[in-house]
Amino acid sequence: MTIKDTPEEWEVRRTGTPFTGNKTSVRTDDVVMPDGTVVHRDYQVHPGSVAVLALDDADRVLVLRQYRHPVRHRLWEIPAGLLDVPGENPLHAAQRELYEEAHVKAEDWRVLTDVYTTPGGCDEAVRIFLARGLSEAEGERFEVEDEEADMELARVPAEELVRGVLAGELHNNCLVVGVLSLVAARAGDGLDALRPAQAPWPARPFEA
């Protein structure tokens, strides 16, 4: 048996969008179950996101501390952001986020992992990149606003982040998945064996 996620789509009898927000919306589908019954499924429709685990030459990860109102916490996170344009190249979006949030650029980019954050209630797909060969970006810093205006920036040893994740002290999805994927990749075939930065992403197709 091959352990691999596979695309599949069950019949939808009716669909509606009871709420449309600034970036996301809520959709209600009437879905036909295998026994023929029809059930309601409400979920958030999301454009998709990218995140960047930026690793410097001292094996430190670039992290940001930001207030997240839905969970009433200030969380340590890795740079991340929405795919603002349908079909946007995720690598370009990740490079933009790293520049805007940390004023950093990277020479080497790989795909670390792809995830659905909460597939039971949201269709958000996130591609997490590994970025290495870090240096200060040229030009003026991007002018941030709202929650981002209060962000803190730090570089933390990767092993310290792993300890924090396993101790239940760090909770951001992309940070947790990113640092544990980093450990797994190193224990496996190594970081240079990760997928190239322009690897296909069926969840959010794009033009390379």
Side-chain angles (χ1 to χ4, degrees):
M1 179 180 178
T2 301
I3 304 300
K4 181 180 179 179
D5 295 337
T6 56
E8 185 170 337
E9 188 169 352
W10 292 1
E11 180 186 353
V12 176
R13 292 277 174 86
R14 186 179 64 86
T15 188
T17 306
F19 171 79
T20 300
N22 185 32
K23 297 289 186 179
T24 66
S25 60
V26 172
R27 182 174 296 162
T28 298
D29 290 341
D30 289 348
V31 186
V32 181
M33 298 289 105
D35 64 359
T37 59
V38 178
V39 300
H40 299 287
R41 290 291 178 262
D42 302 319
Y43 58 98
Q44 182 184 24
V45 178
H46 195 286
S49 307
V50 292
V52 185
L53 192 140
L55 188 69
D56 69 15
D57 293 339
D59 205 43
R60 298 175 304 174
V61 177
L62 193 155
V63 289
L64 309 162
R65 190 167 181 248
Q66 182 174 348
Y67 176 67
R68 294 300 188 183
H69 186 69
V71 295
R72 307 304 199 270
H73 270 71
R74 191 183 292 266
L75 301 178
W76 285 104
E77 308 179 350
I78 57 177
L82 298 176
L83 292 169
D84 293 327
V85 180
E88 182 178 14
N89 187 304
L91 174 60
H92 299 165
Q95 291 169 332
R96 180 187 68 232
E97 293 301 329
L98 186 59
Y99 163 74
E100 290 182 357
E101 294 191 350
H103 201 66
V104 166
K105 63 180 181 179
E107 295 299 321
D108 185 86
W109 290 82
R110 313 268 172 160
V111 175
L112 189 53
T113 191
D114 299 323
V115 295
Y116 291 115
T117 54
T118 49
C122 179
D123 71 351
E124 181 184 15
V126 181
R127 169 156 281 188
I128 304 176
F129 289 91
L130 172 67
R132 294 179 292 174
L134 308 184
S135 61
E136 187 85 359
E138 294 89 1
E140 296 182 3
R141 285 186 171 273
F142 181 78
E143 188 173 341
V144 296
E145 58 185 9
D146 301 328
E147 289 93 342
E148 293 183 352
D150 192 42
M151 285 194 310
E152 300 173 47
L153 177 66
R155 296 193 183 202
V156 180
E159 63 180 13
E160 184 176 333
L161 294 176
V162 172
R163 184 205 61 77
V165 168
L166 298 180
E169 299 168 354
L170 299 171
H171 306 88
N172 174 262
N173 182 288
C174 291
L175 185 149
V176 171
V177 173
V179 297
L180 297 185
S181 294
L182 176 70
V183 172
R186 282 175 164 167
D189 295 330
L191 301 184
D192 290 335
L194 290 167
R195 286 174 291 162
Q198 299 280 17
W201 190 17
R204 294 294 185 274
F206 63 93
E207 292 292 332

